[in-house]
Amino acid sequence: MSKIKLEYIWLDGSEPTQGLRSKTKIVKDFSGKVEDLENWSFDGSSTNQAPGGSSDCILKPVYCVPDPQRNSAYLVMCEVLSADGAPHPSNGRATIEDDDNDFWFGFEQEYFLWDPETNKPLGFPANGFPGPQGPYYCSVGAKNAFGREIIEEHLDACLDAGLNVEGINAEVAAGQWEFQIFAKGAKQAGDEIWIARYLLERIGESYGVAVNWHCKPLGDLDWNGSGMHANFSNTLLRTCGDKAVFDKVCEAFRPVVAEHIAVYGADNHLRLTGKHETASIHDFSYGLSDRGASIRIPIVAAQKGWKGYLEDRRPNSAADPYKVAARIIKTVKTVG
Ligand code: ADP
Ligand code: MN
Ligand code: MN
Ligand code: MN
């Protein structure tokens, strides 16, 4: 009987942005079902999750897909528990209140492919800058599109793993790309984003290319930052047929701007400037078709008689989708 490789993946305790960690467990046999996987443990003192004196943290498998790039193998997303079995403070997934999977999320993950040698995006010369933004978005051709072999390999890997990727595109800055993942159920959406991030990081290794998840890696220059727009809906938004309900849900976000920004990713003040298709971090606004608003009501919602979803444009590329979803659900649930 061939042995099976299980890559247990978890989020560490790094501040302000949690990083991916993983290690391989070899087992004799595996059904392919996550409920048949055992908990495991790791040294939390090496991941900012425990003191050295009592270092054990627990990995609880919660989502599992075939590993598309390794023989006889699976990728296993895990929640981190403290030694007593309670969710670890770094465990955002455990804070999601969506047990009936009524919340659907579509995340648009933007990121830069990054040359570790030059410490610049792919497509940037070692000294200076490429031509200004304009031609790169959805581009084709070696003059404007950089790293396509990587993002194509990533797309295939995601699809082979069974992740529900809905699309990819080259973004506005040189070396910047996006993928979209949609799932019915907030936890599933977060799980799929994290597995997709893991695959991108790992594929990048074989090209000597890193992924830069920072929301404004080029600083205060005329280069776009990276977001992770959160498109969301629940039964209420999907079925109400009433503009007033869309307004009410949007208004529920107004008094809790700070609580949302707190989990929308590090350094978001550098990105949410009011320029580059963003709203100011200090304001709250929403509007039909408005890409300069905090929350956009997609035109299709109006066209379908006020049924559909909303797009919170504020979460950034480095945000934890679990925490973003948990906070959005909390706010939307205040509307009955
Ligand atoms: P844009 O770039 O115009 O903002 P994208 O096409 O990149 O839009 O992303 C839109 C996202 O909205 C997709 O990921 C899609 O899955 C998601 N979406 C569509 N319908 C719903 C819905 N009912 N609930 C949640 N998300 C949705
Ligand atoms: Mn998009
Ligand atoms: Mn985009
Ligand atoms: Mn968007």
Side-chain angles (χ1 to χ4, degrees), residues 113 122 138-141 145-153 170 177:
L113 293 178
L122 292 196
C138 295
S139 63
V140 64
F146 307 102
R148 190 182 300 279
E149 68 279 28
I150 299 173
I151 61 105
E152 287 295 336
E153 187 174 333
W177 297 86

Side-chain angles (χ1 to χ4, degrees), residues 104 106 108 166 178 180 182 231 233 291 296 309 311:
W104 301 355
E108 301 168 56
E166 296 214 313
E178 169 179 316
Q180 303 105 35
F182 170 84
N231 300 275
S233 64
R291 286 171 194 270
R296 176 175 66 102
Y309 64 101
E311 177 190 47

Side-chain angles (χ1 to χ4, degrees), residues 296-318:
R296 176 175 66 102
I297 306 173
I299 191 77
V300 289
Q303 286 166 345
K304 289 186 179 166
W306 295 97
K307 292 178 187 176
Y309 64 101
L310 292 170
E311 177 190 47
D312 193 332
R313 299 176 58 78
R314 298 170 297 171
N316 78 32
S317 46

Side-chain angles (χ1 to χ4, degrees), residues 67-70 75 198-206:
D67 188 329
Q69 301 192 303
R70 218 176 179 194
L75 301 170
Y198 175 88
L199 284 168
L200 186 59
E201 292 274 13
R202 198 177 67 182
I203 288 164
E205 289 174 14
S206 58

